[in-house]
Amino acid sequence: MAPYGRRSLPSDVDGFRASARQNLSEEAWDFTSSEGRSGESEEHFADEDDEIEDANSEAPSQNLLASGDFQQALHPLRAMAERVGREVEEFAEKLDRHNASRKRDPVEKYNCAFKLVNSYQLFAEETVKRLQKQHEPKRQREIDKKWRHRVQDIQLTQQDVDFDDGISEESNEIDGYGDIALQTTVDDLKHWQEEAYTWRLLEIMLQTDYPEPGKTKQEAKKNRLDSLGAVNKYSSEELLWKRFLIEDELAQERQTILQWLKDTAESSGPDIEKVVEQLEVGAERGRGLWAHGWLHTKEATKAQKRLRAWPQTLDPESPGIATSHLNLDKTEGLVTQLDPDAATRQGKVLEKQDQYFERAIWLACWEMIRRGKSWHEVREWCTERVEGWRSVSMRGYVAAWDQCIDGRKQLALGEDVEESAFGGGQDKSLASEISGNRSRPLWRRMCFALARSGGLDDYERAVYGILGGDVQSVEKVCRTWDDYLFTHYNSLLLSQFDDYLQSNYPNRVNTALAQKFGVFDSVQFHGEPSAVGRHLVEKLKAHETTMADAKLPLKMIQGVLIAKQFGSFAYQQGLALSKHANTGTSSKIIPPIDNVTVEDTTTAFIAAQDHDALRVITHMLLIFQDLGLTIGHGTRQVAIENIIVAYIEFLRLAGKRELIPLYASRLSRERSILTLGRVLIDITNATERKEQIQLMKELDIDVVAALSMQLRLILEDKKTRDETEAGFTGVQILEDEPSVEQLGKQIKRNFMGKSVSDDEDLIIRSFEWYMLLDGHWTETFAVGAMLYKRFLRLGQLAAARALAKRVPFSSISLEKTAQLLGRRVDVGMSSENSDDEEDVNLGGSRMTRLRQQQYEKRQQRHASHMRTKAKREVLRRQARTYRELETLVLALDALDGWRGVADEQKSHKKDPQAAKIWRRELQRTFEYILAAVEPLLHGWLVHPMDDTEAAEVEKIRNSYLPEVVLAYHTVLHCAGHYLSRENLLRSMDLATVIAAEDSDLAPCFTAAGRMKELVDAMALTSKAILRANETGNSRINKRKKAGSGANLAIWKVDMRSST
């Protein structure tokens, strides 16, 4: 199948706007009532032959989700109208290109799934780059302001978030596809950045959980361990760290998640240099004055020394120091010495500006570690600010490596050294040196002790807490969901490694020291390893700081991936969609699921209005299915498939109907047919319908089943609302009493009606699809005949007329015979005089060889023609019921037009010229009625296909034929007065037809109990003929005969001679 191409964006956007403007009903398939539309019902009925209006401007019929708060759900849909087109088309195109469901080889399916994930990630990243050109300055200003408050430990208020920076919240950007200016905001940039992170997380989690088919994890693990070589008592801890990550799959997974958290922090946080600039301002020192350390405390100490003329260091126990050497606020004593441990040792404080400096510089160190910077980068940053001691205190985390023992490190071009909880692990610059700490377990315990009981600031304790694997000290500085997750996974990984060393290499950990200096046991703290991710994500949902973040849609999805609960999440999301769709009223596309509770846990649902999240979830579900996720059967299958169906509904509302078959093909067969049966009704353009049918065929969707389901659902909806199946409504064409005694009962004005209801229009629109199917002759005419019989039974004559005009037999025949017979043919036309008939008799018994060849070719053509003729006869017979019911409707339509023309006679009496024009128009109408009614007078609808149809057509014949014949008699009778009195003889000829031995009309009159009406009507005509002869009107031409050869002269009676 060819990849989905992009449609013209302007027309798609226009179509979406049209759909958003439409007043949608809360009930599926239930339009707003005609009374409430002020006579605008005709707007919904478009002539299929009108190709002016583009198909994409067609508004969706109804909301299939049909929830009570649908207008509220539609609001964000309108807001995203300008940008929805591009992403949904891109995602569908990539899904079609990497559609693993069409692959049979497991390896190909596997590769397609991962290519699809990668393509979505790349698209999100490209979108981020495009939006950064427009919104990155504003985004950075928002981040910078948050950082200023973070440094000062000030809680950010709503007013701070919405600060006015002189830039409009919305700005116009020309989309890369170039036809229309799409409005985007900085929030769009944030969303796509988070979505890019989410697709990257999905990729790494899938790589962990789904190995390539044919390759076992054990085999890959063995090969990697062999490449590291054997372990001896001198092997470095870094080598053991590498083996630990290979041997322990859970540790490898946590390390991967940690690295993902570092990467996201690096790309979403502010530039470190900008942080430094802000810190310089907050510390009240000029640019570049970081090298002066505790500047304000130093000046205060020097002032005390000058005051006391002491050349030596100030002694905190000196007389008067406690009362004179105070901070600027005169509330606390200042340190008297300036070494890093002075404040802790003396129990004194720094000046307020220096406290800020201390907090700020440790915050910068924390941020670098949080982003995964290597120790070398931290050392360089600290050295530039003459704070190298800080990096030295952190160097203990670098694992030892001696090339004489461990060999020279092999670093491929562009390869990073093995990651650690610190960040970059060993530096490439140290790859050939003797470096690192050979007592890291003990050093980590020192870091843990410092984090719990030392340090001047929370950020200093957090730095050592991260290095020591603590949680408590680090959580105090965590501000986001990601920070908390990073803290716990870092602690878990270090605890796992400690357990690994004690279990496998006990000589690497001094037991006495390990018992003397404790460390936080994160593995024991979190409990069952397999449930850690789930419990941690649940905990963050309830945590006061992270509660808001955890409920953001993409964060929720990230949590589900980390917790490995996507299957449960999809199930709960499907249940939530079902509950939402059936709140207030019943949905026609997402069924209610009773007796099942929607859980408010990790799998808490995402709002149905969030169509971006719905897009992400839908495509993730398809990817998981490609990799082997089973969605089960019964209720679980229905619930999970609700996600795809909800996305299909979104595409319908967004005007992206050409994408719907692709997603419908990923549903189960029954759900696919049901969904397509609901959503295809919006399409009224013939070209677009053909495209949809072609797409369904390419995707192996049963087109006929989908169309049958569509019609069945529409009929069931109407029956549920207002239809009673009992009885036969029929039709009344004639008025109850004659308006003019001489003319008898007249035909009612507009007895067929003019308006077609919304339900009736939907039924006809559904049948229009059948005309575009290749072949399926029998099915098409069977459905069409069923609709005719339904309309006639219920007396919905305006709908029957609309069906006859929009889907005439001749059009269906011409469309379908191209495939069935090899050329377009109206099989309803007689072929007796067709050019296909050829004379195969060339004459003479003696023929030349050339004549013989010509004769044989003609025989072949004749045989082919006869076969075609036989096929045409079969097709004509199969379509007979439809064609004859159409004939009845056309006859009714012809009769319906008579009264309007006839009544104009009164207004033209005084204008001879107008009267002449009126007579010509009445003559044309009369001739049209003659041609339309004539086929009904003999052999009409007397060849049913089966016994069931025989009972149906008998009711139609008994109900409609007497009424039509009586109305036809009225037309003949009136024509005898208005046009020519010879038409009165046609009326009498009608009586002869009915009374004939082979007539099938008389039984209908008898069954309907209307024979007396027929006799009365004929008597009226007889009187009219007699009166016509009495007047001796000169217009009577004795020599002029009626169609049967009779003339009015035989009715002439001389009443005077008889008396």
Side-chain angles (χ1 to χ4, degrees):
M1 176 180 175
Y4 279 70
R6 301 185 188 95
R7 294 291 185 90
S8 172
L9 192 54
S11 63
D12 286 338
V13 172
D14 290 342
F16 181 83
R17 285 171 175 163
S19 67
R21 287 195 300 265
Q22 186 176 358
N23 181 17
L24 299 177
S25 167
E26 290 185 359
E27 182 176 358
W29 304 116
D30 190 9
F31 290 100
T32 306
S33 64
S34 57
E35 292 80 6
R37 289 192 301 256
S38 301
E40 295 177 358
S41 61
E42 293 297 325
E43 291 179 4
H44 294 288
F45 311 131
D47 188 348
E48 185 170 307
D49 295 329
D50 184 4
E51 296 294 338
I52 297 176
E53 183 178 357
D54 185 85
N56 290 325
S57 66
E58 298 156 9
S61 302
Q62 301 85 7
N63 168 37
L64 298 182
L65 293 180
S67 67
D69 56 350
F70 171 63
Q71 291 298 331
Q72 192 175 17
L74 189 60
H75 178 69
L77 192 65
R78 290 169 177 161
M80 64 189 293
E82 300 294 342
R83 64 182 176 84
V84 69
R86 183 179 181 223
E87 57 237 35
V88 297
E89 288 180 355
E90 284 284 348
F91 270 62
E93 184 177 350
K94 297 178 190 309
L95 176 63
D96 186 54
R97 184 185 304 126
H98 305 298
N99 197 341
S101 65
R102 294 202 292 265
K103 304 293 184 182
R104 295 187 179 276
D105 182 66
V107 176
E108 289 185 2
K109 290 175 70 73
Y110 180 86
N111 292 335
C112 279
F114 276 91
K115 287 178 181 178
L116 186 58
V117 176
N118 185 253
S119 68
Y120 290 154
Q121 180 188 346
L122 291 176
F123 175 76
E125 291 172 351
E126 290 170 1
T127 305
V128 169
K129 292 177 182 177
R130 181 168 54 83
L131 294 175
Q132 280 177 336
K133 297 176 183 178
Q134 189 75 13
H135 304 295
E136 185 61 21
K138 181 175 179 62
R139 176 173 173 268
Q140 285 299 327
R141 281 191 287 275
E142 289 187 4
I143 294 175
D144 292 347
K145 184 148 189 176
K146 290 180 180 180
W147 262 82
R148 288 196 294 271
H149 286 284
R150 184 171 183 179
V151 169
Q152 299 167 12
D153 284 334
I154 297 176
Q155 183 65 34
L156 204 58
T157 64
Q158 185 61 36
Q159 183 179 2
D160 295 323
V161 175
D162 296 332
F163 67 92
D164 183 8
D165 59 2
I167 295 181
S168 173
E169 188 65 24
E170 292 189 356
S171 56
N172 287 337
E173 175 190 353
I174 302 300
D175 187 87
Y177 289 83
D179 279 324
I180 188 169
L182 302 181
Q183 286 189 336
T184 58
T185 68
V186 69
D187 290 334
D188 294 316
L189 173 58
K190 295 175 184 177
H191 165 81
W192 281 103
Q193 183 72 75
E194 198 66 33
E195 183 168 330
Y197 299 155
T198 306
W199 287 113
R200 173 56 185 158
L201 176 62
L202 175 65
E203 183 178 27
I204 63 178
M205 296 305 293
L206 291 179
Q207 289 172 345
T208 302
D209 296 336
Y210 294 91
E212 183 176 347
K215 296 182 180 179
T216 63
K217 289 185 178 180
Q218 294 301 323
E219 182 181 355
K221 183 186 298 186
K222 182 178 182 302
N223 293 335
R224 292 179 63 191
L225 289 174
D226 291 343
S227 66
L228 292 178
V231 176
N232 56 60
K233 63 180 181 179
Y234 302 108
S235 296
S236 69
E237 191 174 302
E238 183 173 347
L239 180 63
L240 299 181
W241 172 263
K242 291 180 178 182
R243 295 184 69 89
F244 161 65
L245 293 179
I246 295 173
E247 292 176 6
D248 192 326
E249 294 179 4
L250 184 58
Q252 185 178 9
E253 175 188 313
R254 289 171 176 169
Q255 169 66 12
T256 304
I257 293 174
L258 266 179
Q259 186 58 46
W260 173 75
L261 290 166
K262 295 171 187 175
D263 294 341
T264 58
E266 172 65 16
S267 56
S268 62
D271 184 76
I272 294 296
E273 293 305 317
K274 290 186 177 180
V275 175
V276 172
E277 293 177 6
Q278 295 173 6
L279 297 179
E280 287 177 338
V281 174
E284 296 185 12
R285 57 185 72 197
R287 289 182 61 85
L289 294 181
W290 284 92
H292 293 267
W294 296 336
L295 181 61
H296 297 274
T297 304
K298 182 190 298 183
E299 291 301 319
T301 302
K302 286 182 178 180
Q304 286 292 327
K305 292 175 67 177
R306 286 194 298 268
L307 181 65
R308 300 174 185 276
W310 286 354
Q312 70 274 16
T313 302
L314 285 178
D315 187 350
E317 302 298 330
S318 298
I321 288 294
T323 58
S324 61
H325 191 42
L326 302 175
N327 62 5
L328 191 62
D329 296 332
K330 306 301 181 182
T331 56
E332 296 180 271
L334 292 175
V335 295
T336 61
Q337 298 165 358
L338 300 178
D339 61 279
D341 295 326
T344 304
R345 184 177 63 254
Q346 296 180 4
K348 303 292 183 179
V349 299
L350 305 176
E351 284 286 10
K352 182 178 180 180
Q353 296 89 336
D354 293 330
Q355 290 178 14
Y356 179 91
F357 167 80
E358 188 71 11
R359 179 190 305 118
I361 200 166
W362 279 115
L363 186 152
C365 291
W366 149 263
E367 188 64 22
M368 285 188 285
I369 295 175
R370 172 68 180 85
R371 299 185 187 190
K373 301 293 184 181
S374 68
W375 175 82
H376 176 74
E377 292 174 288
V378 175
R379 179 186 65 181
E380 185 177 350
W381 188 89
C382 291
T383 303
E384 288 178 357
R385 291 151 183 83
V386 195
E387 296 288 335
W389 68 270
R390 301 177 193 268
S391 62
V392 171
S393 69
M394 291 182 273
R395 187 179 182 180
Y397 197 84
V398 178
W401 185 275
D402 188 342
Q403 65 174 347
C404 295
I405 298 174
D406 303 308
R408 186 177 179 84
K409 287 188 177 182
Q410 301 296 322
L411 298 176
L413 182 63
E415 178 188 357
D416 288 329
V417 291
E418 190 64 46
E419 299 293 343
S420 69
F422 181 83
Q426 280 280 16
D427 293 289
K428 296 178 183 179
S429 61
L430 306 177
S432 60
E433 302 175 0
I434 300 175
S435 59
N437 181 6
R438 288 191 175 274
S439 300
R440 287 206 306 173
L442 178 60
W443 181 82
R444 282 196 293 272
R445 284 162 170 77
M446 298 300 101
C447 288
F448 174 74
L450 183 58
R452 287 294 180 95
S453 58
L456 298 179
D457 183 80
D458 285 342
Y459 281 102
E460 179 183 3
R461 288 186 284 273
V463 167
Y464 289 111
I466 281 292
L467 301 178
D470 190 26
V471 169
Q472 178 181 316
S473 59
V474 183
E475 282 190 333
K476 294 179 180 180
V477 302
C478 291
R479 295 292 182 270
T480 67
W481 186 88
D482 295 55
D483 289 344
Y484 278 90
L485 198 65
F486 173 84
T487 298
H488 284 271
Y489 267 71
N490 174 74
S491 178
L492 281 165
L493 191 61
L494 293 182
S495 291
Q496 274 185 270
F497 185 55
D498 272 357
D499 293 344
Y500 174 81
L501 290 178
Q502 292 182 31
S503 299
N504 297 280
Y505 308 98
N507 60 317
R508 297 299 181 110
V509 181
N510 188 302
T511 304
L513 292 177
Q515 293 176 351
K516 183 177 180 181
F517 300 103
V519 70
F520 181 65
D521 190 345
S522 189
V523 173
Q524 183 178 5
F525 174 79
H526 284 92
E528 175 60 34
S530 61
V532 168
R534 182 173 71 257
H535 292 160
L536 183 55
V537 170
E538 287 299 323
K539 179 181 177 180
L540 295 181
K541 285 184 62 179
H543 196 283
E544 182 180 0
T545 305
T546 59
M547 184 183 300
D549 276 353
K551 293 182 180 179
L552 293 174
L554 291 178
K555 282 297 178 206
M556 193 179 298
I557 295 173
Q558 292 170 10
V560 166
L561 295 175
I562 290 172
K564 296 187 176 182
Q565 291 288 300
F566 188 84
S568 299
F569 166 76
Y571 174 57
Q572 290 295 322
Q573 179 68 27
L575 293 177
L577 286 170
S578 177
K579 181 179 179 181
H580 171 81
N582 293 279
T583 299
T585 185
S586 297
S587 169
K588 300 302 182 182
I589 194 170
I590 295 182
I593 301 177
D594 301 324
N595 303 322
V596 180
T597 304
V598 180
E599 300 176 5
D600 187 17
T601 60
T602 307
T603 55
F605 59 90
I606 291 172
Q609 300 94 327
D610 192 336
H611 303 99
D612 282 321
L614 180 61
R615 169 177 49 80
V616 173
I617 296 170
T618 299
H619 291 87
M620 282 189 178
L621 173 60
L622 298 178
I623 290 167
F624 272 103
Q625 286 183 298
D626 289 339
L627 291 174
L629 175 69
T630 57
I631 63 175
H633 302 282
T635 300
R636 183 176 179 84
Q637 181 183 28
V638 171
I640 293 178
E641 288 189 335
N642 282 347
I643 296 173
I644 304 175
V645 173
Y647 188 67
I648 290 174
E649 164 69 353
F650 163 66
L651 294 175
R652 185 185 77 95
L653 291 173
K656 298 297 177 183
R657 294 184 292 266
E658 71 275 10
L659 307 181
I660 289 176
L662 175 63
Y663 294 92
S665 68
R666 303 301 297 268
L667 297 167
S668 60
R669 183 185 183 280
E670 294 77 11
R671 194 70 184 275
S672 173
I673 296 303
L674 178 63
T675 303
L676 289 172
R678 285 294 186 190
V679 301
L680 292 180
I681 195 62
D682 288 335
I683 304 173
T684 60
N685 181 271
T687 301
E688 190 175 354
R689 284 173 171 171
K690 288 180 180 179
E691 291 176 357
Q692 288 284 323
I693 290 174
Q694 183 61 31
L695 288 173
M696 286 190 283
K697 287 181 179 178
E698 293 175 357
L699 292 164
D700 297 326
I701 297 174
D702 190 336
V703 180
V704 177
L707 298 184
S708 299
M709 177 62 70
Q710 175 182 254
L711 182 58
R712 193 185 86 187
L713 292 173
I714 295 172
L715 294 175
E716 287 178 355
D717 291 343
K718 177 168 174 53
K719 179 180 177 181
T720 301
R721 279 194 291 273
D722 59 8
E723 182 185 330
T724 57
E725 293 294 328
F728 193 102
T729 303
V731 63
Q732 183 179 354
I733 301 177
L734 299 177
E735 294 177 341
D736 294 330
E737 298 295 334
S739 56
V740 179
E741 185 66 30
Q742 186 179 5
L743 297 178
K745 293 181 181 180
Q746 293 298 296
I747 295 176
K748 288 183 175 181
R749 294 181 180 87
N750 302 317
F751 69 84
M752 294 189 74
K754 290 186 176 181
S755 63
V756 178
S757 71
D758 297 326
D759 287 323
E760 293 162 359
D761 181 67
L762 284 175
I763 292 171
I764 298 171
R765 282 165 58 180
S766 177
F767 181 60
E768 287 172 341
W769 284 83
Y770 282 83
M771 188 166 63
L772 305 177
L773 287 175
D774 291 334
H776 299 285
W777 178 274
T778 305
E779 294 90 340
T780 299
F781 286 109
V783 171
M786 180 268 294
L787 296 184
Y788 269 130
K789 287 182 283 189
R790 184 182 187 280
F791 289 148
L792 294 170
R793 175 171 54 84
L794 298 175
Q796 298 168 349
L797 301 185
R801 176 169 55 195
L803 177 59
K805 292 184 176 181
R806 287 162 57 174
V807 197
F809 172 81
S810 58
S811 296
I812 301 176
S813 179
L814 291 173
E815 283 288 336
K816 294 185 175 297
T817 50
Q819 182 188 38
L820 297 173
L821 300 178
R823 60 191 181 92
R824 291 164 57 88
V825 177
D826 181 358
V827 299
M829 302 283 291
S830 174
S831 61
E832 294 179 359
N833 298 320
S834 171
D835 292 338
D836 293 331
E837 298 282 359
E838 297 186 46
D839 184 8
V840 298
N841 183 16
L842 298 180
S845 59
R846 299 180 62 184
M847 304 183 208
T848 64
R849 185 173 183 179
L850 177 60
R851 286 173 60 103
Q852 178 66 28
Q853 292 175 348
Q854 292 176 344
Y855 174 75
E856 292 174 355
K857 289 180 180 179
R858 291 193 179 186
Q859 278 190 317
Q860 293 174 358
R861 287 197 296 270
H862 176 69
S864 175
H865 165 72
M866 296 305 294
R867 287 193 297 270
T868 301
K869 187 176 180 180
K871 289 181 181 178
R872 286 179 59 172
E873 186 58 36
V874 171
L875 296 178
R876 184 186 295 111
R877 185 168 58 252
Q878 292 172 340
R880 178 184 293 160
T881 301
Y882 181 89
R883 188 160 53 94
E884 292 185 347
L885 289 170
E886 180 184 280
T887 301
L888 170 62
V889 174
L890 294 178
L892 291 170
D893 181 50
L895 292 169
D896 191 43
W898 171 261
R899 180 67 181 270
V901 179
D903 283 353
E904 294 179 6
Q905 184 259 349
K906 297 178 182 179
S907 61
H908 301 318
K909 282 184 177 181
K910 297 181 180 181
D911 186 348
Q913 186 62 30
K916 186 176 180 180
I917 296 174
W918 167 78
R919 284 177 59 82
R920 283 201 298 266
E921 178 63 25
L922 189 65
Q923 181 65 36
R924 282 195 295 267
T925 303
F926 177 67
E927 292 173 356
Y928 176 52
I929 292 174
L930 291 179
V933 175
E934 185 66 28
L936 305 180
L937 301 180
H938 186 73
W940 177 79
L941 212 60
V942 294
H943 300 92
M945 300 297 292
D946 51 43
D947 293 340
T948 302
E949 187 173 85
E952 294 173 338
V953 299
E954 183 180 5
K955 290 181 179 181
I956 293 175
R957 282 175 52 83
N958 293 340
S959 177
Y960 279 87
L961 277 181
E963 194 73 18
V964 170
V965 171
L966 289 172
Y968 179 54
H969 171 269
T970 297
V971 171
L972 295 175
H973 185 82
C974 292
H977 288 277
Y978 294 143
L979 297 176
S980 171
R981 297 191 177 180
E982 274 74 14
N983 290 319
L984 295 173
L985 291 179
R986 292 180 182 271
S987 178
M988 300 308 296
D989 290 340
L990 180 61
T992 305
V993 172
I994 297 174
E997 291 186 4
D998 60 344
S999 171
D1000 49 44
L1001 294 177
C1004 295
F1005 277 91
T1006 303
R1010 307 191 66 177
M1011 189 62 76
K1012 182 178 182 301
E1013 293 180 54
L1014 177 62
V1015 172
D1016 292 343
M1018 292 302 173
L1020 183 64
T1021 301
S1022 300
K1023 292 179 182 179
I1025 295 174
L1026 292 174
R1027 282 195 296 268
N1029 286 328
E1030 285 179 7
T1031 58
N1033 195 306
S1034 60
R1035 286 168 52 189
I1036 300 178
N1037 188 344
K1038 298 179 181 180
R1039 292 175 296 176
K1040 184 176 180 180
K1041 297 183 178 181
S1044 62
N1047 59 49
L1048 288 175
I1050 66 171
W1051 288 84
K1052 185 175 180 181
V1053 179
D1054 191 346
M1055 301 297 294
R1056 291 171 298 181
S1057 61
S1058 65
T1059 59

